[in-house]
Amino acid sequence: MPDGCVLACSVSGPEAGTPVVFIHGFPLTGEMWRHAAAALSGTCRCIVPDLRGHGASDASDRATMPMFADDLVTILERLGEKRPAVLVGLSMGGIIAMEFFRRRRERVRALVLCNTRALPETEEGRAGRERLACDVLARGSIAAADQMIDRLLAPGAEPALREHWRSVMASNSAVGVAAASRGLADRADSRPTLPTIDVPTLVVAGQHDVITPVDLMHAMASEIPGSRFEVVRGAGHLTPVEAPETFSRLLTGWVRDLQHADSAHTAVTPA
Ligand code: MLT
């Protein structure tokens, strides 16, 4: 990145395939999209970064939503990807996708907003995020992992799944997680953006999500013209991880429709 931060990014699928950028949540990693990216990689160029401060990427002591969005633009540029991409974002990833849309609308083909929200942080929420940042800097990312794990997964989640994601979160850089926590506290209000979204949009909620509940997601979807809204049964906040088959089926079907629309458009466009 221009500030010297090196980001890890996995790229799979045919170079000529529809570009799809997967944006993970806080404080997770690109691994959460493993199943979904594999399901799309027959026909899509799947671009799965670890955001700065997460997974195998370098951390910086500041990480705002605009910085994350600009990092994604730089990744697309470095990959030589000029076509508008489908952005698939979960929670913080969805917030980053909306920020990306505001900044670089011409680079967005479609949006998939999973378990996310358009609301800015509340005063109470801001204080909680600052406390979390301080805890993490004092005790390591395990502090965030322990605070969040029970709210991320549905109550019936397998203990092995819970342990795995707790350890993924705990392995993240403390500096990176604290920076992202503060970045989330300062996030913009995306509500005015919703009615301006003029690309195909799929909104996905998890039936048991307590962080971004179904009602909130439904209200958000109803503000986005022509969007499709789906609730994944049995899932909590980490829908693609908790219900990978259902989520991947939903995503691949929706992307296939998009690809058909694109090829029909290409077929009737005069040379
Ligand atoms: C996420 O998954 O990105 C987080 O749960 C966002 C949050 O802490 O609100």
Side-chain angles (χ1 to χ4, degrees), residues 63-144:
T64 63
M65 301 302 116
M67 283 167 74
F68 286 131
D70 287 347
D71 285 348
L72 299 177
V73 175
T74 305
I75 288 173
L76 288 169
E77 282 167 357
R78 296 276 164 90
L79 290 172
E81 187 52 78
K82 295 190 168 51
R83 298 165 297 168
V86 179
L87 304 183
V88 184
L90 180 134
S91 200
M92 180 175 80
I95 294 170
I96 296 167
M98 289 185 274
E99 183 69 47
F100 187 118
F101 177 85
R102 279 194 291 277
R103 300 166 89 74
R104 302 302 296 266
R105 155 72 187 85
E106 80 285 0
R107 278 193 166 270
V108 184
R109 170 66 186 96
L111 291 170
V112 182
L113 301 174
C114 310
N115 309 78
T116 191
R117 61 185 138 214
L119 296 166
E121 195 52 275
T122 59
E123 270 317 303
E124 192 190 342
R126 288 174 62 83
R129 292 204 189 270
E130 181 55 29
R131 265 196 312 277
L132 182 68
C134 293
D135 270 7
V136 163
L137 289 173
R139 295 200 293 122
S141 294
I142 188 77

Side-chain angles (χ1 to χ4, degrees), residues 35-80:
H35 195 284
L40 279 187
S41 64
T43 64
C44 295
R45 188 184 198 195
C46 297
I47 300 164
V48 191
D50 284 343
L51 297 170
R52 60 170 66 218
H54 298 75
S57 290
D58 284 353
S60 52
D61 52 16
R62 206 164 151 265
T64 63
M65 301 302 116
M67 283 167 74
F68 286 131
D70 287 347
D71 285 348
L72 299 177
V73 175
T74 305
I75 288 173
L76 288 169
E77 282 167 357
R78 296 276 164 90
L79 290 172

Side-chain angles (χ1 to χ4, degrees), residues 25-26 28 90-92 117 129 148 152 184 211 237:
F26 168 81
L28 300 155
L90 180 134
S91 200
M92 180 175 80
R117 61 185 138 214
R129 292 204 189 270
M148 295 183 68
L152 289 178
L184 276 167
I211 297 178
H237 188 59

